[in-house]
């Protein structure tokens, strides 16, 4: 599945109204660990058709970052039925990302 760029404008459509589990990657271009986790998140998105993956640039979408209480990045948030069901802060491995998603179901 392609990764969606999530903004305040498309949040309801891309996340709240999505029937699949959603993995959100909160990131910024200047964040080294964000750059390291990005290809891992992309691999997970390509390998799993049971989830939707969205990326939120915290510099461009400050309201969304505040709404989710993001204070450190990268932060991965798992959402199911419009509710946060899992979260991880910092660089984690592909298996840990998959575990985060699977434990949230």
């Amino acid at each position: 599945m392609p990764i969606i760029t999530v903004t305040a404008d498309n949040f309801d459509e891309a996340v709240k109204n999505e029937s699949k589990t959603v993995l959100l990657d909160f990131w910024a271009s200047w964040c080294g660990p964000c750059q390291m986790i990005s290809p891992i998140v992309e691999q997970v998105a390509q390998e799993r058709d049971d989830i939707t993956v969205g990326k939120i640039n915290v510099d461009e979408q400050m309201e969304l970052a505040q709404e989710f209480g993001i204070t450190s990045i990268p932060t991965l948030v798992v959402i199911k039925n419009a509710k946060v069901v899992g979260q991880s802060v910092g660089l984690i491995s592909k298996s840990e990302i998959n575990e985060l998603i699977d434990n949230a179901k």
Side-chain angles (χ1 to χ4, degrees):
M1 296 270 316
I3 294 178
I4 301 165
T5 298
V6 178
T7 65
D9 293 336
N10 71 356
F11 183 81
D12 284 355
E13 177 188 342
V15 180
K16 280 190 176 175
N17 300 333
E18 177 58 58
S19 59
K20 292 182 181 179
T21 298
V22 179
L23 175 67
L24 292 178
D25 175 11
F26 287 86
W27 69 284
S29 59
W30 48 264
C31 166
C34 298
Q35 303 306 322
M36 294 167 64
I37 203 169
S38 186
I40 302 169
V41 171
E42 288 173 19
Q43 281 183 345
V44 171
Q46 289 173 356
E47 293 171 4
R48 296 186 68 140
D49 57 6
D50 62 326
I51 64 167
T52 296
V53 178
K55 292 180 75 76
I56 299 177
N57 184 322
V58 297
D59 289 333
E60 296 172 1
Q61 301 299 320
M62 290 182 211
E63 317 88 41
L64 286 176
Q66 288 176 343
E67 187 178 319
F68 280 88
I70 304 301
T71 56
S72 297
I73 51 174
T75 295
L76 300 178
V77 175
V78 181
I79 298 176
K80 186 158 179 80
N81 300 322
K83 291 189 173 84
V84 174
V85 293
Q87 186 167 323
S88 173
V89 178
L91 183 61
I92 61 174
S93 69
K94 183 174 158 186
S95 62
E96 289 171 313
I97 294 172
N98 281 313
E99 192 175 307
L100 179 69
I101 296 164
D102 292 338
N103 288 342
K105 289 189 174 182

